[in-house]
Amino acid sequence: RYDEALVLQRDIYARSVTMRGASHRSTIISGCSLCSALIFTGRFAEAKSLLRDQLLPRSRSLGATDDVALDVEEWLAQALRKDPEASRDDYCEAETLLEGALQRRRRVFGPAHPKTTWCEEELELVIPGGKSK
């Protein structure tokens, strides 16, 4: 079923780029949904490429503390961490992304916000016994 979802997510993202533009908030959200499907189907290289080359640069226009911009960084970290062929550098990059996102989430949304706690948990998977607290 994930492969079927992937086809739909690709179509939704392509239509959003066409209708709203590549830097529109809704397009970036559609791109994150596509990356989710890519990660769940094991297409890590494609997810990382989409996140690094398209979504990350565009999401920066939303602002460093924007929820969607933080989501993009966290999706990239997740794609890096979950890739079975991840290198030490990939884990270091994931750690850096998550530490930055966590710091901003705590400051903007507070320590009890669900996305803040999710980010803490994800960081713990990257660096067990972590430095996140």
Side-chain angles (χ1 to χ4, degrees):
R1 304 241 32 158
Y2 285 117
D3 288 326
E4 294 170 19
L6 182 57
V7 170
L8 295 173
Q9 290 298 338
R10 286 184 198 280
D11 184 53
I12 292 167
Y13 178 66
R15 288 176 189 236
S16 189
V17 169
T18 301
M19 292 172 47
R20 295 186 175 108
S23 297
H24 192 277
R25 179 182 195 81
S26 294
T27 302
I28 296 169
I29 292 169
S30 294
C32 286
S33 295
L34 172 55
C35 288
S36 171
L38 290 167
I39 291 167
F40 278 106
T41 57
R43 293 170 172 90
F44 300 103
E46 188 178 351
K48 290 184 280 188
S49 177
L50 178 62
L51 286 157
R52 276 194 181 115
D53 300 340
Q54 295 181 36
L55 298 178
L56 195 59
R58 293 176 184 144
S59 69
R60 289 192 174 125
S61 68
L62 301 174
T65 58
D66 181 84
D67 187 43
V68 173
L70 292 167
D71 286 348
V72 171
E73 292 180 27
E74 291 163 352
W75 276 113
L76 177 53
Q78 196 172 100
L80 290 163
R81 179 186 68 78
K82 288 187 172 183
D83 187 345
E85 298 178 13
S87 67
R88 175 104 174 104
D89 287 344
D90 290 335
Y91 275 91
C92 288
E93 183 180 357
E95 178 182 353
T96 299
L97 287 165
L98 289 168
E99 285 177 339
L102 179 58
Q103 180 182 33
R104 285 174 278 151
R105 283 211 185 274
R106 283 179 176 157
R107 185 175 68 241
V108 175
F109 300 104
H113 190 277
K115 286 191 175 180
T116 303
T117 57
W118 179 90
C119 192
E120 287 174 341
E121 292 165 4
E122 191 68 16
L123 184 59
E124 183 71 23
L125 294 171
V126 174
I127 46 170
K131 303 179 267 185
S132 67
K133 300 187 176 162

